[in-house]
Amino acid sequence: MTVPAALGASQIRDAFRRLFPDASNDPVLAFAPGRVNLIGDHIDYCGGSVLPMPIQYGTWVAAAPGGGAGVHARSNRQPPLTLRPGDTAAGQPVGHWGRFVSGAIGVLSGDGVRVPEGLLLYAAGDIPASGLSSSASFSVALLLAIGAVSGQRAEGLALALAAQRIEHEYVGVACGLMDQAAVVLGHAGAALRFDCASRLAEPVALPAGLSIVVADSGVPRTLAGSAYNERRRELDRVAQALALDPATLAVTLPARPSLADRTLARRARHVASEQRRVNDACTALGRGDLKGFGALLNASHASLRDDYEVSCTELDALAETFRSQPGCYGARMTGAGFGGAVVAAMAPDQVDAGSSAAASAHRQRFGTTPRIFVARSHGGARVHG
């Protein structure tokens, strides 16, 4: 497994100083991790419980007041960005990553935070795979850094909700709260059980003998350009047909919902069964039942593939290849789907051999080598000085 070392605070601070040599203030640094969802996909936006965990990779944002009006932003992955006063209104055509920057400023300003008229920003991400919530990571890091420069920043659930508003109001993705909650509320060394209806969170310890392996399929995906919003509309139709509240659908759906529309019946079946799998997965981890946990991952993938139809050939093949490796308890696609990554539960002493074999098989079939790493949680988002 060859993935880059995670970025550190000194690298971000040095890059900021090179890009903005005339800055009169040292930057505030904020870091927000990415996340991998162990189980519970596509039930966060209908009130389900989910089981994500933050990872060691994420997004750094360095911020300092600028000398004039407007925002000057630089990134290790995106073209330079300049926002004029007035560009922070929702719907302004400022480009994709500009919508996150303008959204953070707009959300903070709307909450009464006095953001400086001029800002210098440097953003650097090191998440090595698609589908690990880089957007939530970026949103949270922006809010933390700009809020700190402004002398006021949100924390806890309020921070997660503010990041969700950036997605809803500025980016155009009707996402649930799972990603933001995992990024903000995560605990070191643990997954996070998050109830999206009550918004209660609790850590779930990962037992000894379990490694969480993430493998990028090599298929990029963008939520706004995918069927993500279409699936949300379909669940609204399910709720309407069954006279249920769409905000709590995951916990009110009957085990075998009766719907005349076969497509809607499959969507509803996934939601109902995935919620049960999350509950069972938390129980299995608490008991140290790794085989039972792996079987739930496999069942989740089948449901996402067949009932919710958000997988793809590459994800299916990569998950199946991991399952065939010695020491693999189970594997599934993770995240919104339509590309992105696979998560596998493996015995630690089998990770290297299994990952190498899976990468080789994927390369032979699809011509691309997946980036694979062992995910580790160091906790949620934080400000560095």
XYZ file of all heavy atoms in Angstrom, residues 35 37 41-42 45 130-132 178-179 217 219-228 231 301 304-305 308-312 315-316 332-342:
327
model
N -13.956 11.177 6.202
C -14.612 10.103 6.938
C -14.864 8.917 6.023
O -15.020 9.052 4.818
C -15.919 10.577 7.568
C -17.042 10.862 6.567
C -17.955 9.668 6.379
N -18.916 9.883 5.299
C -18.756 9.479 4.061
N -17.651 8.855 3.687
N -19.687 9.700 3.143
N -17.611 5.745 5.907
C -18.811 5.219 6.548
C -18.718 3.704 6.584
O -18.650 3.052 5.539
C -20.068 5.653 5.795
C -21.327 5.377 6.606
O -21.279 5.352 7.828
N -22.437 5.162 5.928
N -25.473 3.611 4.640
C -25.498 4.616 3.563
C -26.900 4.859 3.043
O -27.722 3.942 2.937
C -24.581 4.174 2.414
C -23.128 4.480 2.725
O -22.851 5.605 3.183
O -22.272 3.606 2.522
N -27.147 6.122 2.716
C -28.418 6.596 2.166
C -29.578 6.446 3.144
O -30.735 6.318 2.729
C -28.741 5.903 0.844
C -27.869 6.383 -0.291
N -28.090 7.560 -0.949
C -26.745 5.844 -0.838
C -27.156 7.720 -1.883
N -26.323 6.697 -1.819
N -30.295 10.969 5.430
C -31.211 12.049 5.084
C -32.679 11.671 5.300
O -33.568 12.458 4.995
C -30.985 12.542 3.658
C -30.879 11.468 2.591
C -32.000 10.835 2.096
C -29.640 11.135 2.061
C -31.899 9.883 1.110
C -29.517 10.179 1.066
C -30.644 9.557 0.595
O -30.534 8.603 -0.387
N -11.684 8.884 -3.467
C -12.964 9.537 -3.689
C -14.028 8.905 -2.797
O -13.950 7.731 -2.442
C -13.369 9.384 -5.162
O -14.626 9.931 -5.414
N -15.030 9.710 -2.419
C -16.133 9.189 -1.631
C -15.900 9.200 -0.141
O -16.620 8.544 0.599
N -14.890 9.953 0.328
C -14.574 10.003 1.756
C -14.900 11.363 2.341
O -14.241 11.841 3.272
C -13.104 9.642 1.987
C -12.681 8.262 1.482
C -11.225 7.989 1.817
C -13.572 7.165 2.064
N -24.828 13.164 8.186
C -23.859 12.162 8.609
C -22.420 12.625 8.439
O -21.598 12.521 9.362
C -24.049 10.867 7.824
C -22.950 9.842 8.100
S -23.120 8.314 7.157
C -22.813 8.895 5.493
N -22.073 13.104 7.249
C -20.684 13.444 6.968
C -20.178 14.542 7.887
O -19.092 14.445 8.466
C -20.538 13.885 5.512
C -20.842 12.767 4.532
O -20.967 11.612 4.971
O -20.956 13.059 3.332
N -11.839 2.980 -5.906
C -12.144 2.228 -7.131
C -11.546 2.861 -8.375
O -11.464 2.216 -9.426
C -13.662 2.119 -7.313
O -14.219 3.394 -7.626
N -13.013 5.328 -9.860
C -14.143 5.940 -10.565
C -14.568 7.181 -9.793
O -15.077 7.076 -8.668
C -15.335 4.969 -10.678
C -16.493 5.632 -11.413
C -14.906 3.693 -11.376
N -14.356 8.370 -10.346
C -14.763 9.586 -9.625
C -16.268 9.723 -9.617
O -16.971 9.175 -10.464
C -14.102 10.706 -10.428
C -14.012 10.155 -11.809
C -13.768 8.675 -11.650
N -16.766 10.468 -8.633
C -18.192 10.732 -8.616
C -18.432 12.109 -8.015
O -17.712 12.560 -7.145
C -18.957 9.663 -7.850
C -18.562 9.563 -6.374
C -19.620 10.128 -5.507
N -19.233 10.150 -4.109
C -18.751 11.230 -3.512
N -18.542 12.323 -4.201
N -18.447 11.211 -2.234
N -19.463 12.771 -8.516
C -19.863 14.064 -7.966
C -21.323 13.969 -7.576
O -22.171 13.571 -8.376
C -19.683 15.197 -8.998
O -20.421 14.882 -10.168
C -18.217 15.370 -9.353
N -21.634 14.312 -6.340
C -23.005 14.143 -5.851
C -24.004 14.967 -6.640
O -25.071 14.502 -6.999
C -23.066 14.529 -4.375
C -22.281 13.633 -3.401
C -22.535 14.091 -1.981
C -22.675 12.184 -3.557
N -23.651 16.242 -6.912
C -24.618 17.115 -7.569
C -24.934 16.640 -8.978
O -26.020 16.874 -9.500
C -24.087 18.546 -7.597
N -23.973 15.947 -9.625
C -24.183 15.492 -10.993
C -24.644 14.057 -11.070
O -24.739 13.487 -12.142
N -24.936 13.436 -9.951
C -25.322 12.032 -9.936
C -26.816 11.902 -9.654
O -27.562 12.870 -9.652
C -24.524 11.301 -8.848
O -24.999 11.725 -7.576
N -27.211 10.666 -9.356
C -28.616 10.414 -9.033
C -28.902 10.594 -7.549
O -29.963 10.172 -7.076
C -28.996 8.999 -9.471
N -27.985 11.224 -6.812
C -28.163 11.386 -5.366
C -29.468 12.117 -5.056
O -30.302 11.646 -4.267
C -26.971 12.152 -4.787
C -27.013 12.361 -3.290
C -26.448 11.439 -2.431
C -27.612 13.487 -2.734
C -26.461 11.619 -1.061
C -27.640 13.682 -1.368
C -27.063 12.747 -0.529
O -27.093 12.940 0.823
N -32.538 10.064 -5.730
C -32.894 9.084 -4.699
C -33.645 9.769 -3.554
O -34.586 9.199 -2.985
C -31.637 8.401 -4.153
C -30.929 7.504 -5.149
C -31.802 6.334 -5.561
N -31.098 5.472 -6.497
C -31.053 5.669 -7.812
N -31.697 6.698 -8.353
N -30.392 4.847 -8.595
N -23.750 -4.038 0.978
C -23.356 -3.791 -0.413
C -24.402 -4.343 -1.381
O -24.764 -3.675 -2.358
C -21.995 -4.423 -0.715
C -21.528 -4.131 -2.112
N -20.755 -3.036 -2.428
C -21.768 -4.763 -3.294
C -20.521 -3.019 -3.719
N -21.139 -4.054 -4.275
N -27.335 -1.959 -1.498
C -27.017 -0.722 -2.217
C -26.908 -0.966 -3.717
O -27.278 -0.115 -4.527
C -25.712 -0.138 -1.678
C -25.803 0.476 -0.281
C -24.416 0.581 0.344
C -26.463 1.852 -0.338
N -26.420 -2.142 -4.079
C -26.287 -2.503 -5.495
C -27.632 -2.806 -6.133
O -27.942 -2.299 -7.224
C -25.359 -3.713 -5.607
C -25.112 -4.222 -7.033
C -24.454 -5.590 -6.972
N -25.329 -6.582 -6.351
C -24.883 -7.626 -5.660
N -23.586 -7.837 -5.479
N -25.766 -8.482 -5.134
N -31.019 -0.140 -3.998
C -30.871 1.317 -4.102
C -30.175 1.732 -5.394
O -30.236 2.894 -5.785
C -30.128 1.864 -2.882
C -30.716 3.165 -2.390
C -32.015 3.215 -1.885
C -29.994 4.346 -2.447
C -32.566 4.405 -1.450
C -30.537 5.542 -2.010
C -31.816 5.563 -1.508
O -32.368 6.751 -1.085
N -29.506 0.802 -6.044
C -28.888 1.001 -7.363
C -27.959 2.215 -7.393
O -28.091 3.105 -8.227
C -29.972 1.127 -8.434
C -30.802 -0.148 -8.588
C -31.842 -0.041 -9.688
O -32.905 0.578 -9.443
O -31.602 -0.581 -10.783
N -26.987 2.199 -6.483
C -26.007 3.288 -6.457
C -24.579 2.770 -6.566
O -23.630 3.520 -6.356
C -26.154 4.145 -5.183
C -27.455 4.917 -5.193
C -26.022 3.304 -3.917
N -24.419 1.503 -6.897
C -23.085 0.959 -7.079
C -22.692 1.046 -8.549
O -23.376 1.675 -9.363
C -23.025 -0.490 -6.575
O -21.692 -0.950 -6.555
N -21.566 0.454 -8.887
C -21.133 0.392 -10.287
C -20.256 -0.846 -10.429
O -19.876 -1.493 -9.433
C -20.370 1.655 -10.693
S -18.817 1.939 -9.821
N -16.951 -0.861 -8.361
C -17.155 -1.041 -6.925
C -17.533 -2.475 -6.600
O -17.029 -3.065 -5.627
C -18.243 -0.091 -6.423
C -17.891 1.391 -6.301
C -19.144 2.202 -5.986
C -16.830 1.620 -5.237
N -18.430 -3.053 -7.411
C -18.846 -4.437 -7.180
C -17.645 -5.382 -7.252
O -17.473 -6.258 -6.400
C -19.886 -4.863 -8.212
C -21.194 -4.093 -8.096
O -21.442 -3.491 -7.032
O -21.949 -4.090 -9.085
N -17.695 -3.657 1.356
C -18.845 -3.000 0.728
C -18.410 -1.676 0.134
O -17.370 -1.119 0.498
C -19.946 -2.735 1.765
C -19.500 -1.795 2.868
C -20.564 -1.617 3.947
N -21.652 -0.740 3.531
C -21.618 0.583 3.632
N -20.557 1.213 4.111
N -22.640 1.296 3.262
N -19.205 -1.170 -0.801
C -19.026 0.207 -1.243
C -19.354 1.116 -0.062
O -20.110 0.750 0.836
C -19.917 0.540 -2.427
C -21.407 0.366 -2.182
S -22.452 1.421 -3.209
C -22.282 2.995 -2.363
N -18.763 2.300 -0.060
C -19.015 3.225 1.037
C -19.283 4.611 0.482
O -18.691 5.010 -0.524
C -17.836 3.266 2.023
O -18.142 4.157 3.107
C -16.545 3.718 1.364
N -20.178 5.336 1.127
C -20.496 6.682 0.665
C -21.696 6.682 -0.255
O -22.479 5.730 -0.327
N -21.819 7.771 -1.006
C -23.001 7.955 -1.846
C -23.050 7.015 -3.025
O -24.114 6.717 -3.559
C -23.062 9.400 -2.344
N -21.886 6.504 -3.454
C -21.866 5.580 -4.573
C -21.609 6.254 -5.899
O -21.048 7.350 -5.957
N -22.011 5.575 -6.980
C -21.769 6.054 -8.349
C -20.265 6.216 -8.593
O -19.836 7.083 -9.353
C -22.490 7.381 -8.614
C -23.893 7.442 -8.098
C -24.218 8.193 -6.992
C -24.897 6.707 -8.710
C -25.507 8.248 -6.501
C -26.202 6.752 -8.230
C -26.503 7.523 -7.115
N -19.458 5.394 -7.953
C -18.010 5.539 -7.947
C -17.545 5.713 -6.518
O -18.307 5.561 -5.573
N -16.276 6.027 -6.356
C -15.750 6.249 -5.021
C -15.010 5.041 -4.495
O -14.260 4.385 -5.219
N -15.226 4.692 -3.231
C -14.363 3.741 -2.543
C -15.129 2.554 -1.978
O -16.350 2.568 -1.833
C -13.616 4.451 -1.410
N -14.340 1.543 -1.628
C -14.804 0.342 -0.935
C -14.164 0.325 0.448
O -13.010 0.744 0.610
C -14.404 -0.916 -1.731
C -14.417 -2.167 -0.868
C -15.313 -1.094 -2.940
